[in-house]
C-alpha cells in the first residue's frame, strides 16, 4: 500500500513569491493535515481538511491557505513568502474522524525562502 | 492549554544498552498518545499509539511505551538499542475534540555509540 506522497521534495523561492505544495493521502483516507517543522520551533499544526472542507487551522496568518480536492489530495499555498517560512512542511492523512484515528506522515517538502 | 514535554533534548546510549525516552503531557481529558520517529531529512514514522485499554503498548522495531495516568507520562522504551535507532523521537498528543491536530513535544535526538 502506497504511503502519503508529497511534491516537490525541495522548493526554493524568494521573499514575496508564492509557494504551492502538494500532498496525496493514503488510499481510503479522507482527512489531510499539514504541519510546519521549522528550525527551533518544532512541529506546528497548520491545517486540517476533511471531505473537501477546512475543519481547523492552527495559529498561522491567512497567507497560509489550502484546499482539498474531490480525490482527497490537498494543496498548501503560502503567499507573500517571508524568510521565516523556510521549513519542512509535512502532510499527514488519516481515516475520517468518526473516532480518533492515527495520522500517517509523508516525507515532507523542504521550502527554502531566500 | 494542552502541552507535551520531552525533558531530554539529546540522549546518547551504547549499542545494545536499554533506552527510555521520557514524555509528559498536560491535558484535561484522556488523551490519545503517540510516539513518532524521524530520520534526518525524512518524514515521521509512527512507532506506537495509545488510545485506551492496556497501558503497556507494543510498537514496531521492538519499542514499547507505558501510559501512566497518575504521572501524566508516556515513556518510550527499548531493551536493546541498535545503531539504526539513531534518529529524533517525538511524543505527540491528540484528542477527538482537538480539531484533528496533534501537539508534539520538542523531540529527543538519540545518538548510538558503537
Amino acid at each position: 500500500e502506497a504511503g502519503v506522497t508529497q511534491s516537490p521534495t525541495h522548493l526554493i523561492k524568494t521573499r514575496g513569491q508564492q509557494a504551492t505544495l502538494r500532498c496525496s493521502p493514503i488510499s481510503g483516507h479522507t482527512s489531510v493535515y499539514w504541519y510546519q517543522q521549522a528550525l527551533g520551533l518544532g512541529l506546528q499544526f497548520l491545517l486540517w481538511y476533511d471531505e473537501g472542507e477546512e475543519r481547523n487551522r492552527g495559529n498561522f496568518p491567512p497567507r497560509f491557505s489550502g484546499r482539498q480536492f474531490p480525490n482527497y489530495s490537498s494543496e498548501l499555498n503560502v503567499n507573500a513568502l517571508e524568510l521565516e517560512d523556510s521549513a519542512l512542511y509535512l502532510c499527514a492523512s488519516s481515516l475520517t474522524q468518526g473516532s480518533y484515528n492515527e495520522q500517517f506522515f509523508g516525507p515532507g517538502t523542504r521550502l527554502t525562502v531566500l | 492549554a494542552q502541552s507535551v514535554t520531552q525533558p531530554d533534548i539529546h540522549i546518547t546510549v551504547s549499542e545494545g544498552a536499554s533506552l527510555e525516552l521520557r514524555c509528559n503531557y498536560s491535558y484535561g481529558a484522556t488523551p490519545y498518545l503517540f510516539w513518532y520517529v524521524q530520520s534526518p531529512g525524512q518524514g515521521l514514522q509512527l512507532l506506537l499509539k495509545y488510545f485506551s485499554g492496556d497501558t503497556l503498548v507494543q510498537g514496531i522495531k521492538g519499542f514499547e511505551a507505558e501510559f501512566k495516568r497518575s504521572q501524566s507520562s508516556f515513556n518510550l522504551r527499548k531493551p536493546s538499542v541498535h545503531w539504526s535507532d539513531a534518529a529524533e523521537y517525538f511524543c505527540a498528543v491528540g484528542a477527538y475534540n482537538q480539531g484533528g491536530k496533534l501537539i508534539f513535544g520538542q523531540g529527543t535526538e538519540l545518538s548510538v555509540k558503537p
Side-chain angles (χ1 to χ4, degrees), chain A residues 33 35 37 42-45 48 55-56 58 88 90 97-108 110, chain B residues 32 34 36 38 41-46 49 51 88 90 93-96 98-102 104-106:
Chain A
Y33 313 81
Y35 293 83
Q37 187 177 25
L43 280 148
Q44 306 287 327
F45 168 75
W48 169 34
R55 302 295 185 183
N56 195 18
L88 182 68
L90 293 166
Q97 270 217 341
S99 58
Y100 199 85
N101 292 290
E102 60 263 43
Q103 298 178 19
F104 296 90
F105 284 78
R110 172 74 61 187
Chain B
Y32 302 106
F34 306 87
Y36 287 88
Q38 185 178 35
Q42 303 291 314
L44 302 174
Q45 182 181 23
L46 179 65
K49 63 182 184 285
F51 283 3
E88 189 149 24
F90 292 93
V93 168
Y96 182 66
Q98 203 164 266
K101 68 180 178 182
L102 290 173
F104 286 87
Q106 305 92 314

Side-chain angles (χ1 to χ4, degrees), chain B residues 15-99:
Chain B
E15 191 168 16
S18 63
L19 171 70
E20 182 168 26
L21 301 182
R22 296 182 291 163
C23 173
N24 293 97
Y25 67 90
S26 173
Y27 189 69
T30 300
Y32 302 106
L33 296 159
F34 306 87
W35 275 99
Y36 287 88
V37 60
Q38 185 178 35
S39 297
Q42 303 291 314
L44 302 174
Q45 182 181 23
L46 179 65
L47 284 175
L48 47 76
K49 63 182 184 285
Y50 173 78
F51 283 3
S52 64
D54 194 348
T55 56
L56 184 64
V57 293
Q58 302 297 320
I60 62 171
K61 304 185 178 187
F63 286 93
E64 67 178 27
E66 186 171 13
F67 170 59
K68 292 186 177 179
R69 185 188 303 275
S70 61
Q71 298 176 22
S72 297
S73 69
F74 188 57
N75 294 348
L76 181 71
R77 301 194 294 248
K78 187 170 185 179
S80 178
V81 169
H82 188 261
W83 64 267
S84 60
D85 293 324
E88 189 149 24
Y89 292 79
F90 292 93
C91 180
V93 168
Y96 182 66
N97 63 352
Q98 203 164 266

Side-chain angles (χ1 to χ4, degrees), chain A residues 55-85:
Chain A
R55 302 295 185 183
N56 195 18
R57 66 180 293 129
N59 189 25
F60 283 84
R63 57 191 187 81
F64 286 84
S65 65
R67 54 181 172 166
Q68 186 178 34
F69 300 97
N71 66 353
Y72 304 113
S73 67
S74 176
E75 220 173 62
L76 174 68
N77 295 294
V78 188
N79 294 318
L81 284 165
E82 300 178 2
L83 297 178
E84 53 264 36
D85 297 334

